Amino acid sequence: MTDAAALPGQPRGGVLSGPATARAVNVLAPNPSAMTLDGTNTWILSEPGSDLAVVVDPGPLDDGHLRHVVATAEQAGKRVALTLLTHGHPDHAEGAARFAELTGTNVRALDPALRLGDEGLGAGNVVSIGGLELRVVPTPGHTSDSLCFHLPADQAVLTGDTVLGRGTTVVAHPDGRLGDYLDSLRRLRSLAVDDGVHTVLPGHGPVLEDAQGAVEFYLAHRAHRLAQVETAVENGHHTPAEVVSHVYADVDRSLWPAAELSVRAQLEYLTDHGLI
């Protein structure tokens, strides 16, 4: 058995649902799959002693899950006062409108199409609820609207799908772009190195205890994949499907359609930089 401390980011073992930091509680959505891992992590955030909470990524449109999130907050003496989205993929955002109905909250997101209420989210924004402070960190790449949320008091960052608790994420081409994604990873590395962030609260998978290690692993993985794709093209594999079958031969075939999105993003990046 592999020691979790030896894995990228030092994933925390044990049950995924429940308290993760002094201010963050996870409610795991019942939507496990090859792409969503154990399911979507819906985060309830609240300052200790406050009766107000923020929910990040209500998850899929599953009424049982959405009500369970509300009940979990209420059992802790909290009222959900605001809903935030890391990005618009359905496994994170599909239930947001229904959740807003259940809680009477606004929904804030980068994409105007996902918002309920007048306020969006963008670079430099600070969300303050009941003494809780969240700093908005734009992290495009997985999607163009991807955001992370820096929780300074817990030295933590909520990463949505930008960094997962297990494995690596997809650059969802054409909306997602690899150059943007690499810049976003470097931005997260800066949070770890310069701002003391050590805990990753991901959109899927376990909590990571070593934010810098996780981001360094992601950057190394992307560099390795880019080199593999470049070599594959040099060896005559020109279409995305051909590159996937060559570079991702050791990956479960059920994940090849997602891998092809990343390959398209990699090919675009290599072309734009004159490398192929």
Side-chain angles (χ1 to χ4, degrees):
M1 181 177 294
T2 302
D3 182 357
L7 295 174
Q10 298 181 19
R12 186 183 299 175
V15 178
L16 295 179
S17 284
T21 69
R23 292 164 179 80
V25 174
N26 182 30
V27 181
L28 183 65
N31 62 332
S33 72
M35 290 297 293
T36 61
L37 304 182
D38 309 274
T40 300
N41 295 333
T42 294
W43 292 102
I44 303 173
L45 309 176
S46 182
E47 190 69 16
S50 172
D51 62 355
L52 300 177
V54 175
V55 166
V56 177
D57 289 351
L61 184 54
D62 180 308
D63 213 59
H65 169 65
L66 301 176
R67 291 181 180 277
H68 182 41
V69 174
V70 175
T72 300
E74 290 178 344
Q75 287 165 10
K78 314 285 185 181
R79 176 178 65 83
V80 178
L82 182 64
T83 303
L84 305 177
L85 298 177
T86 61
H87 65 297
H89 279 168
D91 56 313
H92 294 258
E94 185 183 37
R98 174 59 178 151
F99 190 72
E101 289 180 3
L102 292 173
T103 58
T105 60
N106 289 340
V107 177
R108 295 182 64 182
L110 179 61
D111 184 350
L114 299 171
R115 301 173 191 167
L116 292 175
D118 296 331
E119 286 190 288
L121 292 170
N125 287 167
V126 177
V127 177
S128 299
I129 295 287
L132 181 81
E133 180 184 289
L134 282 175
R135 300 175 184 172
V136 179
V137 183
T139 50
H142 169 67
T143 60
S144 62
D145 69 329
S146 287
L147 300 171
C148 291
F149 298 105
H150 178 199
L151 182 54
D154 283 349
Q155 296 178 295
V157 61
L158 289 87
T159 54
D161 282 355
T162 299
V163 174
L164 304 178
R166 186 170 65 251
T168 56
T169 199
V170 172
V171 178
H173 186 272
D175 181 50
R177 296 176 60 88
L178 182 57
D180 291 341
Y181 185 64
L182 295 174
D183 288 342
S184 293
L185 291 176
R186 296 182 189 108
R187 194 169 297 121
L188 291 176
R189 180 173 58 187
S190 178
L191 278 181
V193 173
D194 300 330
D195 294 283
V197 167
H198 57 72
T199 302
V200 174
L201 305 176
H204 304 279
V207 171
L208 300 178
E209 306 282 11
D210 177 15
Q212 184 178 348
V215 174
E216 295 287 3
F217 169 77
Y218 267 59
L219 285 165
H221 170 78
R222 286 297 168 195
H224 178 63
R225 282 298 194 207
L226 268 175
Q228 288 181 308
V229 170
E230 185 176 0
T231 299
V233 173
E234 290 172 352
N235 291 335
H237 302 280
H238 295 295
T239 69
E242 289 172 347
V243 173
V244 168
S245 64
H246 180 72
V247 173
Y248 292 80
D250 60 339
V251 174
D252 188 324
R253 283 177 174 263
S254 68
L255 297 176
W256 280 17
E260 185 169 323
L261 295 179
S262 284
V263 165
R264 289 180 182 275
Q266 290 160 346
L267 290 171
E268 178 184 67
Y269 180 89
L270 291 169
T271 300
D272 289 348
H273 287 76
L275 299 173
I276 58 173

Short mmCIF file of all heavy atoms in Angstrom, two decimals, residues 41-70:
data_model
loop_
_atom_site.label_atom_id
_atom_site.label_comp_id
_atom_site.label_asym_id
_atom_site.label_seq_id
_atom_site.Cartn_x
_atom_site.Cartn_y
_atom_site.Cartn_z
N ASN A 41 -17.26 17.69 -4.38
CA ASN A 41 -17.14 18.24 -3.03
C ASN A 41 -17.89 19.57 -2.96
O ASN A 41 -17.50 20.53 -3.63
CB ASN A 41 -15.68 18.47 -2.67
CG ASN A 41 -14.88 17.18 -2.58
OD1 ASN A 41 -15.43 16.12 -2.30
ND2 ASN A 41 -13.58 17.26 -2.82
N THR A 42 -18.94 19.61 -2.16
CA THR A 42 -19.65 20.86 -1.88
C THR A 42 -19.15 21.39 -0.55
O THR A 42 -19.25 20.72 0.48
CB THR A 42 -21.16 20.62 -1.82
OG1 THR A 42 -21.63 20.22 -3.11
CG2 THR A 42 -21.90 21.89 -1.40
N TRP A 43 -18.59 22.61 -0.58
CA TRP A 43 -17.94 23.15 0.61
C TRP A 43 -18.84 24.15 1.33
O TRP A 43 -19.38 25.06 0.73
CB TRP A 43 -16.62 23.83 0.22
CG TRP A 43 -15.60 22.84 -0.24
CD1 TRP A 43 -15.24 22.56 -1.53
CD2 TRP A 43 -14.84 21.96 0.58
NE1 TRP A 43 -14.29 21.56 -1.57
CE2 TRP A 43 -14.03 21.18 -0.27
CE3 TRP A 43 -14.77 21.75 1.96
CZ2 TRP A 43 -13.15 20.21 0.22
CZ3 TRP A 43 -13.89 20.80 2.45
CH2 TRP A 43 -13.09 20.04 1.59
N ILE A 44 -18.99 23.95 2.64
CA ILE A 44 -19.66 24.90 3.53
C ILE A 44 -18.57 25.61 4.31
O ILE A 44 -17.78 24.97 5.02
CB ILE A 44 -20.62 24.19 4.51
CG1 ILE A 44 -21.67 23.36 3.75
CG2 ILE A 44 -21.29 25.20 5.42
CD1 ILE A 44 -22.54 22.51 4.66
N LEU A 45 -18.52 26.93 4.19
CA LEU A 45 -17.48 27.73 4.84
C LEU A 45 -18.11 28.71 5.82
O LEU A 45 -19.10 29.37 5.50
CB LEU A 45 -16.69 28.52 3.79
CG LEU A 45 -16.13 27.73 2.60
CD1 LEU A 45 -15.47 28.68 1.61
CD2 LEU A 45 -15.15 26.67 3.07
N SER A 46 -17.52 28.80 7.01
CA SER A 46 -18.06 29.71 8.01
C SER A 46 -16.99 30.04 9.04
O SER A 46 -16.18 29.19 9.40
CB SER A 46 -19.26 29.07 8.71
OG SER A 46 -19.83 29.95 9.66
N GLU A 47 -17.00 31.27 9.49
CA GLU A 47 -16.10 31.68 10.56
C GLU A 47 -16.57 31.05 11.87
O GLU A 47 -17.78 31.04 12.17
CB GLU A 47 -16.09 33.21 10.67
CG GLU A 47 -15.03 33.78 11.57
CD GLU A 47 -13.62 33.60 11.02
OE1 GLU A 47 -13.47 33.32 9.81
OE2 GLU A 47 -12.68 33.76 11.83
N PRO A 48 -15.65 30.49 12.65
CA PRO A 48 -16.05 29.94 13.95
C PRO A 48 -16.81 30.97 14.79
O PRO A 48 -16.40 32.12 14.90
CB PRO A 48 -14.71 29.57 14.60
CG PRO A 48 -13.79 29.30 13.45
CD PRO A 48 -14.21 30.29 12.39
N GLY A 49 -17.93 30.55 15.34
CA GLY A 49 -18.74 31.44 16.15
C GLY A 49 -19.78 32.22 15.38
O GLY A 49 -20.68 32.82 15.99
N SER A 50 -19.68 32.23 14.05
CA SER A 50 -20.65 32.94 13.23
C SER A 50 -21.84 32.04 12.93
O SER A 50 -21.72 30.82 12.86
CB SER A 50 -20.01 33.40 11.93
OG SER A 50 -20.99 33.94 11.05
N ASP A 51 -23.01 32.67 12.72
CA ASP A 51 -24.19 31.88 12.34
C ASP A 51 -24.46 31.97 10.85
O ASP A 51 -25.53 31.56 10.38
CB ASP A 51 -25.42 32.32 13.14
CG ASP A 51 -25.80 33.78 12.89
OD1 ASP A 51 -25.06 34.49 12.17
OD2 ASP A 51 -26.86 34.21 13.40
N LEU A 52 -23.51 32.51 10.07
CA LEU A 52 -23.65 32.63 8.63
C LEU A 52 -22.63 31.76 7.92
O LEU A 52 -21.51 31.58 8.39
CB LEU A 52 -23.47 34.09 8.18
CG LEU A 52 -24.45 35.10 8.76
CD1 LEU A 52 -24.11 36.50 8.27
CD2 LEU A 52 -25.89 34.74 8.41
N ALA A 53 -23.02 31.22 6.76
CA ALA A 53 -22.15 30.34 6.00
C ALA A 53 -22.21 30.67 4.52
O ALA A 53 -23.19 31.23 4.02
CB ALA A 53 -22.54 28.87 6.22
N VAL A 54 -21.14 30.33 3.83
CA VAL A 54 -21.04 30.41 2.38
C VAL A 54 -20.92 28.99 1.85
O VAL A 54 -20.19 28.18 2.42
CB VAL A 54 -19.80 31.23 1.95
CG1 VAL A 54 -19.63 31.21 0.43
CG2 VAL A 54 -19.87 32.64 2.48
N VAL A 55 -21.63 28.70 0.77
CA VAL A 55 -21.50 27.39 0.13
C VAL A 55 -20.85 27.56 -1.24
O VAL A 55 -21.26 28.41 -2.03
CB VAL A 55 -22.87 26.69 -0.01
CG1 VAL A 55 -22.81 25.50 -0.97
CG2 VAL A 55 -23.35 26.23 1.36
N VAL A 56 -19.82 26.77 -1.49
CA VAL A 56 -19.11 26.78 -2.77
C VAL A 56 -19.43 25.51 -3.52
O VAL A 56 -19.22 24.41 -3.01
CB VAL A 56 -17.59 26.91 -2.55
CG1 VAL A 56 -16.85 26.85 -3.89
CG2 VAL A 56 -17.25 28.20 -1.81
N ASP A 57 -19.96 25.65 -4.73
CA ASP A 57 -20.29 24.55 -5.63
C ASP A 57 -21.36 23.62 -5.05
O ASP A 57 -21.05 22.53 -4.53
CB ASP A 57 -19.04 23.75 -6.01
CG ASP A 57 -18.11 24.50 -6.93
OD1 ASP A 57 -18.50 25.58 -7.42
OD2 ASP A 57 -16.99 24.02 -7.17
N PRO A 58 -22.64 24.01 -5.14
CA PRO A 58 -23.71 23.14 -4.65
C PRO A 58 -23.73 21.77 -5.31
O PRO A 58 -24.25 20.81 -4.74
CB PRO A 58 -24.98 23.93 -4.99
CG PRO A 58 -24.53 25.34 -5.09
CD PRO A 58 -23.14 25.30 -5.65
N GLY A 59 -23.19 21.69 -6.55
CA GLY A 59 -23.09 20.38 -7.19
C GLY A 59 -24.21 20.12 -8.18
O GLY A 59 -24.83 21.05 -8.71
N PRO A 60 -24.48 18.85 -8.43
CA PRO A 60 -25.49 18.48 -9.44
C PRO A 60 -26.90 18.82 -8.96
O PRO A 60 -27.13 19.09 -7.78
CB PRO A 60 -25.29 16.97 -9.59
CG PRO A 60 -24.77 16.54 -8.25
CD PRO A 60 -23.88 17.67 -7.79
N LEU A 61 -27.83 18.76 -9.88
CA LEU A 61 -29.23 19.01 -9.54
C LEU A 61 -29.81 17.74 -8.93
O LEU A 61 -30.49 16.95 -9.57
CB LEU A 61 -30.02 19.43 -10.80
CG LEU A 61 -31.49 19.81 -10.58
CD1 LEU A 61 -31.61 20.90 -9.52
CD2 LEU A 61 -32.11 20.26 -11.90
N ASP A 62 -29.50 17.55 -7.67
CA ASP A 62 -29.93 16.40 -6.88
C ASP A 62 -30.55 16.97 -5.61
O ASP A 62 -29.85 17.43 -4.72
CB ASP A 62 -28.73 15.49 -6.58
CG ASP A 62 -29.10 14.27 -5.77
OD1 ASP A 62 -29.74 14.42 -4.71
OD2 ASP A 62 -28.72 13.15 -6.18
N ASP A 63 -31.88 16.95 -5.54
CA ASP A 63 -32.56 17.64 -4.44
C ASP A 63 -32.15 17.08 -3.09
O ASP A 63 -32.03 17.83 -2.12
CB ASP A 63 -34.07 17.53 -4.63
CG ASP A 63 -34.81 18.77 -4.12
OD1 ASP A 63 -34.51 19.88 -4.61
OD2 ASP A 63 -35.65 18.63 -3.21
N GLY A 64 -31.94 15.77 -3.02
CA GLY A 64 -31.52 15.17 -1.76
C GLY A 64 -30.19 15.72 -1.29
O GLY A 64 -30.02 16.03 -0.10
N HIS A 65 -29.25 15.84 -2.22
CA HIS A 65 -27.94 16.39 -1.87
C HIS A 65 -28.06 17.85 -1.45
O HIS A 65 -27.49 18.26 -0.43
CB HIS A 65 -26.99 16.27 -3.05
CG HIS A 65 -25.70 17.02 -2.88
ND1 HIS A 65 -24.77 16.70 -1.91
CD2 HIS A 65 -25.20 18.11 -3.53
CE1 HIS A 65 -23.76 17.55 -1.98
NE2 HIS A 65 -24.00 18.41 -2.95
N LEU A 66 -28.80 18.64 -2.22
CA LEU A 66 -28.93 20.07 -1.91
C LEU A 66 -29.56 20.28 -0.53
O LEU A 66 -29.11 21.13 0.25
CB LEU A 66 -29.74 20.77 -2.99
CG LEU A 66 -29.17 20.67 -4.41
CD1 LEU A 66 -30.12 21.33 -5.41
CD2 LEU A 66 -27.79 21.30 -4.50
N ARG A 67 -30.57 19.49 -0.23
CA ARG A 67 -31.21 19.60 1.09
C ARG A 67 -30.27 19.13 2.20
O ARG A 67 -30.30 19.66 3.32
CB ARG A 67 -32.52 18.81 1.11
CG ARG A 67 -33.62 19.44 0.24
CD ARG A 67 -34.91 18.66 0.30
NE ARG A 67 -35.94 19.26 -0.53
CZ ARG A 67 -36.72 20.27 -0.17
NH1 ARG A 67 -36.59 20.80 1.04
NH2 ARG A 67 -37.63 20.75 -0.99
N HIS A 68 -29.44 18.13 1.88
CA HIS A 68 -28.48 17.65 2.87
C HIS A 68 -27.45 18.72 3.20
O HIS A 68 -27.03 18.88 4.36
CB HIS A 68 -27.80 16.39 2.33
CG HIS A 68 -26.82 15.77 3.29
ND1 HIS A 68 -27.06 15.65 4.65
CD2 HIS A 68 -25.59 15.22 3.08
CE1 HIS A 68 -26.03 15.06 5.23
NE2 HIS A 68 -25.12 14.81 4.30
N VAL A 69 -27.05 19.49 2.19
CA VAL A 69 -26.12 20.61 2.43
C VAL A 69 -26.75 21.63 3.37
O VAL A 69 -26.12 22.08 4.34
CB VAL A 69 -25.71 21.27 1.10
CG1 VAL A 69 -24.86 22.51 1.36
CG2 VAL A 69 -24.95 20.29 0.21
N VAL A 70 -28.00 21.99 3.09
CA VAL A 70 -28.70 22.95 3.96
C VAL A 70 -28.81 22.41 5.38
O VAL A 70 -28.53 23.13 6.36
CB VAL A 70 -30.10 23.26 3.39
CG1 VAL A 70 -30.87 24.16 4.36
CG2 VAL A 70 -30.00 23.93 2.02
#
